[in-house]
Amino acid sequence: MISKQSFLSLTLLLAFAVSALAQTKTENVILITLDGARTQEMFGGLDLDILKDKTRRGKVEDSALYKKYWAATPEERRMKLLPFFWGTLMKDHGSIAGNRSLNSAVMTTNKMWFSYPGYSEILTGQANDSVINSNDRKRNPNTSVLEFLKRKLKLNKTQVALFGSWDVFNWIAEHEEGAVTINAGHEPYELAASADTKAFSKLQTEKLSPWDSVRFDYFTFEFAMEHLKRYQPRMLHLALGETDDWAHGGDYTHTLDSFHRNDQQFKQLWDYLQSSPKYKGKTSILITIDHGRGNTIKDWTDHGEKVPEAQYIWMAFVSPDSQLRGEWKDAETIYQNQVAATLCRWLGIDYSENNRQAGKPISRLFSK
Ligand SMILES: [Zn+2]
Protein backbone atom coordinates (compact mmCIF):
# COMPACT_ATOMS: atom_id res chain seq x y z
CA MET A 1 0.00 0.00 0.00
CA ILE A 2 1.18 3.49 -0.85
CA SER A 3 1.77 5.82 2.11
CA LYS A 4 0.18 9.24 2.31
CA GLN A 5 3.58 10.90 2.15
CA SER A 6 4.78 9.04 -0.91
CA PHE A 7 1.42 9.65 -2.55
CA LEU A 8 1.95 13.37 -1.95
CA SER A 9 5.49 13.36 -3.36
CA LEU A 10 4.29 11.32 -6.33
CA THR A 11 1.60 13.91 -6.99
CA LEU A 12 4.18 16.69 -6.77
CA LEU A 13 6.50 14.82 -9.08
CA LEU A 14 3.71 14.31 -11.62
CA ALA A 15 2.71 17.97 -11.43
CA PHE A 16 6.34 18.90 -12.00
CA ALA A 17 6.64 16.53 -14.97
CA VAL A 18 3.49 17.97 -16.54
CA SER A 19 4.60 21.57 -16.08
CA ALA A 20 8.09 20.72 -17.42
CA LEU A 21 6.41 19.34 -20.54
CA ALA A 22 4.19 22.38 -20.91
CA GLN A 23 6.97 24.96 -20.75
CA THR A 24 7.46 25.49 -24.45
CA LYS A 25 6.77 28.40 -26.76
CA THR A 26 5.76 26.07 -29.57
CA GLU A 27 2.08 26.10 -30.54
CA ASN A 28 2.44 24.77 -34.10
CA VAL A 29 4.72 22.24 -35.76
CA ILE A 30 5.82 21.92 -39.35
CA LEU A 31 7.50 18.80 -40.67
CA ILE A 32 9.26 19.07 -44.02
CA THR A 33 10.65 16.06 -45.84
CA LEU A 34 12.80 16.05 -48.97
CA ASP A 35 12.67 12.59 -50.48
CA GLY A 36 16.09 10.92 -50.63
CA ALA A 37 18.04 14.20 -50.52
CA ARG A 38 21.55 12.92 -49.79
CA THR A 39 23.74 14.04 -46.87
CA GLN A 40 26.52 14.50 -49.45
CA GLU A 41 24.76 17.44 -51.15
CA MET A 42 23.24 18.82 -47.95
CA PHE A 43 26.64 19.20 -46.30
CA GLY A 44 28.92 19.44 -49.33
CA GLY A 45 26.92 20.80 -52.26
CA LEU A 46 27.83 19.70 -55.78
CA ASP A 47 29.61 16.32 -55.95
CA LEU A 48 32.40 16.73 -58.49
CA ASP A 49 32.81 12.98 -59.08
CA ILE A 50 29.22 12.74 -60.26
CA LEU A 51 29.57 15.82 -62.44
CA LYS A 52 32.76 14.42 -64.03
CA ASP A 53 31.01 11.13 -64.66
CA LYS A 54 28.09 12.98 -66.27
CA THR A 55 30.23 15.23 -68.48
CA ARG A 56 30.38 13.51 -71.84
CA ARG A 57 31.95 16.27 -73.91
CA GLY A 58 34.30 19.15 -73.17
CA LYS A 59 35.67 20.23 -69.82
CA VAL A 60 33.81 19.90 -66.52
CA GLU A 61 34.71 23.53 -65.76
CA ASP A 62 32.70 24.68 -68.78
CA SER A 63 29.47 22.97 -67.69
CA ALA A 64 26.53 25.06 -66.53
CA LEU A 65 26.28 23.04 -63.33
CA TYR A 66 29.90 23.70 -62.40
CA LYS A 67 29.48 27.43 -63.00
CA LYS A 68 26.32 27.54 -60.94
CA TYR A 69 27.23 25.38 -57.94
CA TRP A 70 30.98 24.73 -57.74
CA ALA A 71 33.24 26.34 -55.11
CA ALA A 72 36.46 25.25 -53.41
CA THR A 73 35.10 24.21 -50.00
CA PRO A 74 32.06 22.17 -48.95
CA GLU A 75 30.79 25.17 -46.94
CA GLU A 76 30.89 27.45 -49.98
CA ARG A 77 29.36 24.81 -52.26
CA ARG A 78 26.40 24.09 -50.01
CA MET A 79 25.84 27.83 -49.62
CA LYS A 80 25.48 28.08 -53.41
CA LEU A 81 23.08 25.16 -53.49
CA LEU A 82 20.99 26.13 -50.43
CA PRO A 83 21.64 29.82 -49.72
CA PHE A 84 18.63 30.44 -47.51
CA PHE A 85 18.95 27.22 -45.54
CA TRP A 86 22.64 27.71 -44.72
CA GLY A 87 22.89 31.50 -44.83
CA THR A 88 19.80 32.30 -42.74
CA LEU A 89 17.99 29.31 -41.21
CA MET A 90 21.01 27.42 -39.86
CA LYS A 91 22.99 30.56 -39.07
CA ASP A 92 20.39 32.51 -37.12
CA HIS A 93 17.50 30.21 -36.27
CA GLY A 94 18.33 26.53 -36.09
CA SER A 95 20.68 23.57 -36.19
CA ILE A 96 21.35 20.44 -38.21
CA ALA A 97 22.55 16.95 -37.27
CA GLY A 98 24.05 14.35 -39.57
CA ASN A 99 27.41 15.65 -40.78
CA ARG A 100 29.53 12.57 -40.10
CA SER A 101 32.77 14.46 -40.72
CA LEU A 102 31.93 16.43 -37.54
CA ASN A 103 31.08 13.25 -35.65
CA SER A 104 27.31 13.69 -35.83
CA ALA A 105 25.15 10.98 -37.35
CA VAL A 106 21.43 10.50 -37.97
CA MET A 107 20.21 7.04 -38.93
CA THR A 108 17.08 5.13 -39.76
CA THR A 109 16.24 2.22 -37.47
CA ASN A 110 14.46 0.43 -40.31
CA LYS A 111 16.72 -1.67 -42.50
CA MET A 112 14.77 -1.10 -45.71
CA TRP A 113 16.18 2.28 -46.75
CA PHE A 114 13.38 3.24 -49.09
CA SER A 115 10.37 5.51 -48.87
CA TYR A 116 7.36 3.85 -47.22
CA PRO A 117 9.40 2.39 -44.35
CA GLY A 118 11.19 5.73 -43.90
CA TYR A 119 8.08 7.90 -43.83
CA SER A 120 6.28 5.39 -41.66
CA GLU A 121 9.16 5.49 -39.16
CA ILE A 122 9.03 9.29 -39.20
CA LEU A 123 5.25 9.52 -38.82
CA THR A 124 4.58 6.65 -36.41
CA GLY A 125 7.84 6.76 -34.45
CA GLN A 126 8.64 3.14 -35.09
CA ALA A 127 10.19 0.84 -37.69
CA ASN A 128 8.06 -2.14 -38.60
CA ASP A 129 10.19 -4.07 -41.12
CA SER A 130 8.28 -7.35 -41.00
CA VAL A 131 5.08 -5.62 -42.18
CA ILE A 132 6.25 -2.41 -43.89
CA ASN A 133 8.61 -3.78 -46.48
CA SER A 134 7.35 -2.40 -49.79
CA ASN A 135 6.09 0.85 -51.32
CA ASP A 136 2.73 -0.78 -52.11
CA ARG A 137 -0.45 1.17 -51.47
CA LYS A 138 -1.28 -0.56 -48.21
CA ARG A 139 -2.90 1.03 -45.19
CA ASN A 140 -0.43 1.75 -42.39
CA PRO A 141 -1.07 -0.70 -39.51
CA ASN A 142 -0.01 1.98 -36.97
CA THR A 143 -1.55 5.37 -36.21
CA SER A 144 0.49 8.41 -37.17
CA VAL A 145 1.55 11.45 -35.21
CA LEU A 146 -0.89 13.47 -37.34
CA GLU A 147 -3.83 11.34 -36.21
CA PHE A 148 -2.61 11.42 -32.60
CA LEU A 149 -2.22 15.21 -32.52
CA LYS A 150 -5.62 15.74 -34.09
CA ARG A 151 -7.22 13.64 -31.35
CA LYS A 152 -5.07 14.95 -28.52
CA LEU A 153 -5.48 18.66 -29.40
CA LYS A 154 -9.15 18.17 -30.42
CA LEU A 155 -8.52 19.69 -33.85
CA ASN A 156 -10.69 19.61 -36.90
CA LYS A 157 -9.54 17.89 -40.07
CA THR A 158 -8.17 20.98 -41.80
CA GLN A 159 -5.89 21.79 -38.86
CA VAL A 160 -3.74 18.69 -39.34
CA ALA A 161 -2.61 18.50 -42.92
CA LEU A 162 -0.14 16.73 -45.17
CA PHE A 163 0.70 17.90 -48.67
CA GLY A 164 2.85 15.42 -50.54
CA SER A 165 4.22 15.04 -54.04
CA TRP A 166 4.00 11.21 -53.82
CA ASP A 167 0.54 9.62 -53.85
CA VAL A 168 1.39 6.80 -51.39
CA PHE A 169 1.19 9.30 -48.51
CA ASN A 170 -2.54 8.63 -48.62
CA TRP A 171 -1.75 5.16 -47.22
CA ILE A 172 1.30 5.91 -45.08
CA ALA A 173 0.14 8.91 -43.07
CA GLU A 174 -3.13 7.64 -41.63
CA HIS A 175 -4.21 4.37 -40.16
CA GLU A 176 -7.83 5.41 -40.29
CA GLU A 177 -8.71 6.55 -43.79
CA GLY A 178 -9.92 10.16 -43.93
CA ALA A 179 -8.76 11.04 -40.42
CA VAL A 180 -6.69 14.08 -41.43
CA THR A 181 -6.26 16.29 -44.51
CA ILE A 182 -3.99 14.57 -47.00
CA ASN A 183 -3.42 15.86 -50.51
CA ALA A 184 -0.84 13.81 -52.38
CA GLY A 185 0.19 12.70 -55.85
CA HIS A 186 -1.82 14.13 -58.74
CA GLU A 187 -4.84 14.59 -56.50
CA PRO A 188 -6.92 17.73 -57.06
CA TYR A 189 -6.87 20.18 -54.16
CA GLU A 190 -10.58 20.34 -53.43
CA LEU A 191 -10.26 23.14 -50.89
CA ALA A 192 -8.55 25.44 -53.40
CA ALA A 193 -9.92 28.96 -53.05
CA SER A 194 -7.72 31.34 -55.01
CA ALA A 195 -7.88 31.48 -58.80
CA ASP A 196 -4.21 30.49 -59.05
CA THR A 197 -4.55 27.43 -56.87
CA LYS A 198 -7.69 26.31 -58.69
CA ALA A 199 -5.81 26.61 -61.97
CA PHE A 200 -2.79 24.70 -60.58
CA SER A 201 -5.08 21.96 -59.32
CA LYS A 202 -6.34 21.48 -62.89
CA LEU A 203 -2.97 22.01 -64.54
CA GLN A 204 -1.18 19.35 -62.49
CA THR A 205 -3.22 16.63 -64.16
CA GLU A 206 -3.22 18.17 -67.63
CA LYS A 207 0.48 18.83 -67.83
CA LEU A 208 2.44 15.64 -68.41
CA SER A 209 4.57 14.65 -65.43
CA PRO A 210 7.60 12.39 -65.88
CA TRP A 211 6.26 10.17 -63.07
CA ASP A 212 3.03 8.23 -62.58
CA SER A 213 2.77 8.57 -58.83
CA VAL A 214 4.63 11.83 -58.19
CA ARG A 215 3.66 15.38 -59.06
CA PHE A 216 5.97 18.36 -59.34
CA ASP A 217 6.92 19.91 -55.99
CA TYR A 218 5.73 23.28 -57.26
CA PHE A 219 2.08 22.18 -57.04
CA THR A 220 2.54 20.50 -53.67
CA PHE A 221 4.12 23.61 -52.25
CA GLU A 222 1.52 26.03 -53.64
CA PHE A 223 -1.36 23.95 -52.24
CA ALA A 224 0.36 23.65 -48.85
CA MET A 225 0.92 27.41 -48.69
CA GLU A 226 -2.67 28.21 -49.51
CA HIS A 227 -3.85 25.73 -46.90
CA LEU A 228 -1.49 27.18 -44.32
CA LYS A 229 -2.72 30.70 -44.90
CA ARG A 230 -6.39 29.82 -45.06
CA TYR A 231 -6.79 27.12 -42.40
CA GLN A 232 -3.84 27.85 -40.09
CA PRO A 233 -3.07 24.20 -39.25
CA ARG A 234 -1.37 23.33 -35.95
CA MET A 235 0.52 20.56 -37.70
CA LEU A 236 1.59 20.62 -41.33
CA HIS A 237 3.69 18.05 -43.13
CA LEU A 238 5.12 19.32 -46.40
CA ALA A 239 6.47 16.28 -48.24
CA LEU A 240 8.52 17.23 -51.28
CA GLY A 241 9.71 14.56 -53.67
CA GLU A 242 11.68 15.68 -56.71
CA THR A 243 15.14 15.28 -55.13
CA ASP A 244 14.51 11.52 -55.25
CA ASP A 245 12.85 11.15 -58.63
CA TRP A 246 15.39 13.07 -60.69
CA ALA A 247 18.20 11.18 -58.94
CA HIS A 248 16.64 7.82 -59.82
CA GLY A 249 16.71 8.93 -63.42
CA GLY A 250 20.40 9.85 -63.12
CA ASP A 251 19.61 13.50 -63.90
CA TYR A 252 22.10 15.37 -61.71
CA THR A 253 21.18 18.80 -63.07
CA HIS A 254 17.53 18.46 -62.08
CA THR A 255 18.49 16.83 -58.80
CA LEU A 256 20.61 19.82 -57.78
CA ASP A 257 18.09 22.31 -59.15
CA SER A 258 15.42 20.61 -57.03
CA PHE A 259 17.52 21.17 -53.89
CA HIS A 260 17.87 24.78 -54.96
CA ARG A 261 14.13 25.24 -55.61
CA ASN A 262 13.27 23.62 -52.30
CA ASP A 263 15.56 26.16 -50.65
CA GLN A 264 13.61 29.00 -52.26
CA GLN A 265 10.42 27.39 -51.00
CA PHE A 266 11.87 27.29 -47.46
CA LYS A 267 12.37 31.03 -47.75
CA GLN A 268 8.81 31.65 -48.96
CA LEU A 269 7.45 29.54 -46.13
CA TRP A 270 9.70 31.20 -43.53
CA ASP A 271 8.78 34.70 -44.72
CA TYR A 272 5.10 33.87 -44.40
CA LEU A 273 5.57 32.43 -40.88
CA GLN A 274 7.38 35.62 -39.82
CA SER A 275 4.52 37.75 -41.13
CA SER A 276 1.86 35.79 -39.24
CA PRO A 277 1.03 36.45 -35.56
CA LYS A 278 -0.34 32.91 -35.37
CA TYR A 279 3.02 31.38 -36.33
CA LYS A 280 5.82 33.84 -35.60
CA GLY A 281 7.88 32.76 -32.60
CA LYS A 282 5.41 29.93 -31.91
CA THR A 283 6.29 27.40 -34.60
CA SER A 284 8.85 24.61 -34.56
CA ILE A 285 10.09 23.16 -37.84
CA LEU A 286 11.78 19.81 -38.36
CA ILE A 287 13.30 19.08 -41.77
CA THR A 288 14.55 15.61 -42.68
CA ILE A 289 14.57 12.83 -45.28
CA ASP A 290 13.11 9.34 -45.59
CA HIS A 291 16.41 7.72 -46.63
CA GLY A 292 19.82 8.62 -48.02
CA ARG A 293 21.32 7.09 -51.14
CA GLY A 294 24.61 5.68 -52.41
CA ASN A 295 27.92 7.49 -52.02
CA THR A 296 29.60 6.59 -55.34
CA ILE A 297 29.13 7.44 -59.01
CA LYS A 298 27.70 3.93 -59.40
CA ASP A 299 25.00 4.10 -56.73
CA TRP A 300 24.22 7.77 -55.93
CA THR A 301 21.03 7.25 -57.94
CA ASP A 302 19.94 4.37 -55.77
CA HIS A 303 18.95 3.35 -52.24
CA GLY A 304 17.40 0.31 -50.52
CA GLU A 305 18.73 -2.79 -48.82
CA LYS A 306 21.70 -3.18 -51.18
CA VAL A 307 22.88 0.38 -50.51
CA PRO A 308 23.77 0.59 -46.78
CA GLU A 309 24.98 4.19 -47.16
CA ALA A 310 21.27 5.05 -47.55
CA GLN A 311 20.67 4.48 -43.81
CA TYR A 312 22.45 7.77 -43.10
CA ILE A 313 20.14 10.75 -43.11
CA TRP A 314 20.17 14.32 -41.73
CA MET A 315 17.78 16.28 -39.57
CA ALA A 316 17.41 20.03 -39.08
CA PHE A 317 15.57 21.87 -36.31
CA VAL A 318 14.24 25.40 -36.17
CA SER A 319 12.38 26.09 -32.95
CA PRO A 320 11.74 28.94 -30.52
CA ASP A 321 12.44 26.27 -27.89
CA SER A 322 15.96 25.40 -29.04
CA GLN A 323 19.00 27.67 -28.86
CA LEU A 324 21.22 25.34 -30.91
CA ARG A 325 22.68 26.92 -34.06
CA GLY A 326 24.61 25.54 -37.00
CA GLU A 327 25.99 22.04 -37.30
CA TRP A 328 25.96 19.48 -34.52
CA LYS A 329 29.47 18.32 -33.53
CA ASP A 330 30.56 15.37 -31.41
CA ALA A 331 26.94 14.48 -30.79
CA GLU A 332 25.23 11.24 -29.91
CA THR A 333 23.68 9.51 -32.91
CA ILE A 334 19.98 10.31 -33.27
CA TYR A 335 17.35 8.27 -35.11
CA GLN A 336 14.48 8.66 -37.53
CA ASN A 337 12.09 7.06 -35.01
CA GLN A 338 12.52 10.09 -32.72
CA VAL A 339 10.80 12.57 -35.05
CA ALA A 340 7.18 11.96 -33.95
CA ALA A 341 8.02 12.22 -30.23
CA THR A 342 10.12 15.35 -30.82
CA LEU A 343 7.29 17.13 -32.65
CA CYS A 344 4.93 16.27 -29.81
CA ARG A 345 7.44 17.24 -27.12
CA TRP A 346 7.69 20.70 -28.68
CA LEU A 347 3.93 20.96 -28.19
CA GLY A 348 4.22 19.79 -24.60
CA ILE A 349 2.70 16.41 -25.42
CA ASP A 350 4.03 12.95 -24.60
CA TYR A 351 3.98 10.77 -27.75
CA SER A 352 4.47 7.56 -25.75
CA GLU A 353 0.75 7.87 -24.95
CA ASN A 354 0.15 6.91 -28.59
CA ASN A 355 2.98 4.43 -29.01
CA ARG A 356 5.11 3.06 -26.20
CA GLN A 357 7.59 1.53 -28.65
CA ALA A 358 8.24 4.82 -30.43
CA GLY A 359 11.61 6.58 -30.26
CA LYS A 360 11.97 9.23 -27.54
CA PRO A 361 12.22 13.01 -28.06
CA ILE A 362 15.73 14.09 -29.12
CA SER A 363 17.15 15.02 -25.72
CA ARG A 364 19.78 17.50 -26.97
CA LEU A 365 17.00 19.79 -28.23
CA PHE A 366 15.44 20.03 -24.80
CA SER A 367 18.43 20.15 -22.47
CA LYS A 368 19.25 23.58 -21.15
ZN1 LIG B 1 13.61 6.60 -54.25
Side-chain angles (χ1 to χ4, degrees), residues 35 114-115 244-245 248 290-291 293 303:
D35 201 302
F114 58 86
S115 287
D244 183 72
D245 294 284
H248 277 298
D290 53 339
H291 55 73
R293 19 180 25 95
H303 55 86

Side-chain angles (χ1 to χ4, degrees), residues 7 28 39 50 53 60 63 65 71 80 85 94 124 128 149 190 203 220 232 240 244 246 258 260 314 334-335 352-353:
F7 179 76
N28 318 286
T39 55
I50 297 174
D53 182 57
V60 170
S63 69
L65 221 51
K80 286 193 167 182
F85 180 83
T124 68
N128 194 349
L149 283 178
E190 306 284 2
L203 185 66
T220 305
Q232 310 267 285
L240 301 168
D244 183 72
W246 295 118
S258 296
H260 195 62
W314 51 268
I334 57 170
Y335 296 93
S352 69
E353 271 182 42

